[in-house]
């Protein structure tokens, strides 16, 4: 199994501030997302990912986010096995200091 690429919350924040167009997917549950998510992120609960494969494009890279980066890591392994380009935000929202909405 190939290692999952990662991005730190700090690096992600710098990319967003620089205006980079990124594909962010928050895989937390509804009640967690209600507490705030990174602006521009799409919310697809972890358990709903298999039913939403048609949302993903194999030519794009997706950055996955959850509370602590465990669930998003699992999603990354699953999608990487399906042939998608993925990156996990390590530390999750617990480490995110940037803006939320």
């Amino acid at each position: 199994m190939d290692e999952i690429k990662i991005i730190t919350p700090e690096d992600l924040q710098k990319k967003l501030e620089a205006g980079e167009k990124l594909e962010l997917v928050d895989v937390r549950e509804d009640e967690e997302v209600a507490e705030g998510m990174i602006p521009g992120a799409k919310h697809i609960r972890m358990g709903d990912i298999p039913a939403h494969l048609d949302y993903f494009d194999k030519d794009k890279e997706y950055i996955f986010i959850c509370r602590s980066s465990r669930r998003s890591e699992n999603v990354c392994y699953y999608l990487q096995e399906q042939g998608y380009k993925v990156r996990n935000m390590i530390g999750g929202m617990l480490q995110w200091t940037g803006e939320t909405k």
Side-chain angles (χ1 to χ4, degrees):
M1 193 181 295
D2 289 341
E3 201 171 308
I4 298 295
K5 290 183 190 168
I6 59 167
I7 187 167
T8 65
E10 296 78 20
D11 286 344
L12 177 57
Q13 192 167 353
K14 285 179 192 152
K15 286 177 176 288
L16 290 171
E17 287 169 359
E20 284 190 45
K21 183 79 182 107
L22 302 170
E23 296 289 339
L24 307 177
V25 181
D26 192 320
V27 300
R28 296 176 298 157
E29 294 299 316
D30 296 343
E31 60 275 9
E32 294 173 290
V33 168
E35 295 171 17
M37 39 191 277
I38 298 171
K42 169 124 174 109
H43 178 220
I44 306 175
R45 290 187 308 269
M46 178 177 152
D48 294 340
I49 293 285
H52 286 86
L53 288 180
D54 57 341
Y55 168 77
F56 299 102
D57 179 341
K58 290 191 177 177
D59 295 329
K60 293 180 181 175
E61 180 181 74
Y62 296 89
I63 298 171
F64 288 89
I65 302 156
C66 70
R67 190 182 72 89
S68 67
S69 74
R70 280 278 173 253
R71 283 174 285 175
S72 52
E73 182 182 49
N74 289 333
V75 169
C76 285
Y77 277 117
Y78 171 75
L79 287 172
Q80 189 167 274
E81 285 174 9
Q82 311 290 320
Y84 294 95
K85 295 180 198 145
V86 297
R87 194 172 288 262
N88 189 22
M89 186 179 89
I90 56 167
M93 291 302 285
L94 292 174
Q95 300 295 316
W96 179 255
T97 59
E99 184 186 347
T100 59
K101 65 170 185 155

